[in-house]
Amino acid sequence: MIEMPLSPVDVEFVTGLHGDDPVSFVVLMQPRGSKDRLLRAIDDIALGELEQAVQEREEPEGKEALEPAERALAHSVAALRAAGAEARGQVVQRHPLDALRGVVEEAHADEVIVLTAPHFVEEFFHRDWASRARHKVGVPVLKLFSHAADEEQPTKRG
């Protein structure tokens, strides 16, 4: 489960987690939503990124966020494949944790990786994706922090 396009560092890290064993990824991405705007702004302020906090109101939402999410997903799946992994993906517009549970069951997944930027408020209250997924999917959930914010990406936090 990702919230922004995978950077080259992210791809190298997740594809190398299991050594030389073949890996397969099903990548889920949810478009941005207005309900998360305040939490994103608070996180930006906590990280000292005041300019980014002000720009949160300019982030596409709803149907406008679908196309950037699809581009970010296509970029990420292509990068995983280029690194030698099997990969497919889908944009999840509703009930992402239910979709994640369905993918885990369908793919007989061994684990879930949640690759995310730090979200201090959500993490403090255990409302972040990884904490919530741990109660839903029935397999180990590994939470990793993305390097995408440090790299130029095809979309801005997509």
Side-chain angles (χ1 to χ4, degrees):
M1 181 171 267
I2 61 173
E3 63 182 9
M4 63 184 68
L6 297 178
S7 72
V9 174
D10 295 331
V11 170
E12 182 179 346
F13 187 64
V14 298
T15 57
L17 284 173
H18 298 285
D20 292 332
D21 293 339
V23 291
S24 176
F25 295 93
V26 179
V27 183
L28 301 181
M29 172 171 258
Q30 184 180 29
R32 311 278 295 192
S34 60
K35 66 180 179 175
D36 302 325
R37 183 184 293 162
L38 177 60
L39 292 176
R40 291 191 315 255
I42 292 170
D43 286 337
D44 291 336
I45 291 168
L47 290 169
E49 298 174 0
L50 300 179
E51 187 174 319
Q52 184 66 33
V54 172
Q55 293 175 355
E56 285 296 341
R57 63 190 154 112
E58 298 170 11
E59 288 283 332
E61 297 174 352
K63 290 181 182 180
E64 294 176 2
L66 185 57
E67 194 265 328
E70 289 172 344
R71 275 196 329 262
L73 178 63
H75 165 83
S76 299
V77 168
L80 290 167
R81 289 177 179 163
E86 286 184 36
R88 61 184 170 97
Q90 68 185 62
V91 173
V92 179
Q93 295 186 48
R94 303 178 126 221
H95 310 293
L97 293 175
D98 291 337
L100 179 61
R101 183 177 58 215
V103 167
V104 166
E105 291 169 0
E106 175 189 310
H108 304 288
D110 296 324
E111 68 184 353
V112 168
I113 299 172
V114 176
L115 194 64
T116 181
H119 297 292
F120 298 114
V121 175
E122 292 176 8
E123 290 169 21
F124 181 78
F125 292 107
H126 302 284
R127 300 299 303 156
D128 59 298
W129 288 119
S131 295
R132 293 169 56 200
R134 285 185 182 106
H135 301 286
K136 197 86 162 168
V137 298
V139 297
V141 176
L142 178 61
K143 178 179 180 176
L144 303 174
F145 290 114
S146 174
H147 295 85
D150 302 330
E151 312 242 351
E152 189 172 319
Q153 296 295 318
T155 62
K156 174 193 170 190
R157 298 181 80 185

